[in-house]
Amino acid sequence: MSVAFVKEECAEAASETLLPDRPISPHPNLVTEAGFKALELQLQQAREAYDAANSIEDVNERRRQAANPLRGLRYFAARVRTAQVIPEPISLDVVAFGTSVTFSRDDGRVQTYRIVGEDEADPKTGSISFVSPVARALTGKTVGDVVSVGGQELEVIAIG
C-alpha cells in the first residue's frame, strides 16, 4: 500500500504500521495436542494485545502499537485454522510424530529429541520439527537402526 493512501507523517511511520505477514510453512501443519493448545493461547494473547493497542487515542501510536499484534493475529489464526492434531503414538516401536527418540552420534554424543510440529519445535528444550533433517531421517526407524545425516551417522538407541 502506498503511503499516499495512509494518513502518516512519513513513509517510515507507514512502514511501522504495515508489517508483512509472517511466512507460513508449505508443509502440513501437524501439531501435538499441547502444540495446538499453545497455538490457541498465542492467538488469544495476540487478540488481547491488539485490543489493548486499539484503545490508544493517538491514531499514529495506535497503528504502531497494533502492527505486531495484528501480524500475530493473522499468523496464529491461520495456524489454528489449518492445524492437524496428531494423537499420541500408540506404539513406541517406531520413531514417529510425537515420540521422543534418543540417538548416538559418531562423536559419542547422545541426544534425545521429541518430534513435534514446526511451531512447537525448540531444540534447546528437546523438541525438533518433523520436517527437520534429523527428524525426517529418523522417522520410521527402530532401535538399532543407523541413518546418515549431514555427514554423521546416528544410531537409534531408544524410543519413548
Side-chain angles (χ1 to χ4, degrees), residues 67-112:
N68 269 330
L70 182 59
R71 179 186 195 194
L73 264 173
R74 291 188 307 260
Y75 179 80
F76 291 115
R79 297 304 277 175
V80 166
R81 185 176 55 254
T82 61
Q84 298 174 39
V85 179
I86 305 298
E88 293 289 321
I90 296 169
S91 168
L92 299 178
D93 296 335
V94 176
V95 177
F97 187 92
T99 60
S100 291
V101 58
T102 302
F103 56 89
S104 62
R105 294 180 173 269
D106 285 346
D107 61 10
R109 288 184 294 159
V110 174
Q111 295 179 292
T112 301

Side-chain angles (χ1 to χ4, degrees), residues 8-71:
E8 296 287 348
E9 297 92 32
C10 63
E12 180 182 310
S15 70
E16 291 176 3
T17 63
L18 302 172
L19 297 177
D21 284 340
R22 288 178 59 181
I24 299 216
S25 171
H27 302 286
N29 186 13
L30 307 183
V31 295
T32 64
E33 293 208 20
F36 184 71
K37 288 177 183 169
L39 284 174
E40 289 180 317
L41 177 62
Q42 290 171 304
L43 176 60
Q44 181 60 35
Q45 290 171 338
R47 270 193 197 111
E48 290 169 3
Y50 181 71
D51 291 344
N54 275 327
S55 67
I56 297 171
E57 286 189 35
D58 179 78
V59 68
N60 291 324
E61 186 60 21
R62 179 175 46 225
R63 288 178 181 155
R64 275 189 282 280
Q65 293 297 319
N68 269 330
L70 182 59
R71 179 186 195 194

Side-chain angles (χ1 to χ4, degrees), residues 93 95 101-104 141-147 154-159:
D93 296 335
V95 177
V101 58
T102 302
F103 56 89
S104 62
K141 303 301 184 242
T142 59
V143 173
D145 286 348
V146 177
V147 298
L154 311 179
E155 180 181 353
V156 178
I157 56 176
I159 302 169

